[in-house]
Amino acid sequence: MAVDNPHANKVTIHILAAVAQHEREMIAERTRAALQAAKARGVKIGRNGAECLAPAYRVAAAERAMSLAPVLTQLVKAGLSARQIAAELTARKVPTLLGVMACPNGAQGGASRKA
């Protein structure tokens, strides 16, 4: 029984499913045609992440690692565990990249990263 159409029977559901399948195929065909047309115009498809975003993220990660390196080195030399480092970074109000509290796994990864 369909909640949004309680009077639908098996035939109605089958017809709706067939229409949905046909619509999916039409959308896929339009997408393929649009991608082919863009390629014919010389547009590069699907490389924004690899060519634009990844290098920017790499630079941001390296800059953050360099800025945190003295603090992490000090905490590691003090013999703190990853959990203690995370707690200390949280106590010092050092935000993560997402602006949340530090966690042990993140602190451990940052301590071992070489910029």
Side-chain angles (χ1 to χ4, degrees), residues 2-37:
V3 177
D4 60 341
N5 192 356
H7 302 292
N9 57 28
K10 288 183 179 182
V11 173
T12 306
I13 299 295
H14 181 74
I15 291 171
L16 290 173
V19 170
Q21 174 68 20
H22 178 68
E23 184 177 358
R24 185 194 71 79
E25 290 168 358
M26 289 176 16
I27 291 169
E29 182 55 39
R30 284 194 307 267
T31 302
R32 276 192 292 275
L35 288 173
Q36 286 177 347

Side-chain angles (χ1 to χ4, degrees), residues 15-16 18 20 22 25 28 46 48-49 58 61 65 72 78-79 82-83 97 100 102 109 115:
I15 291 171
L16 290 173
H22 178 68
E25 290 168 358
N48 188 50
R58 233 178 271 117
L72 292 174
R83 187 172 303 278
L97 286 175
V100 296

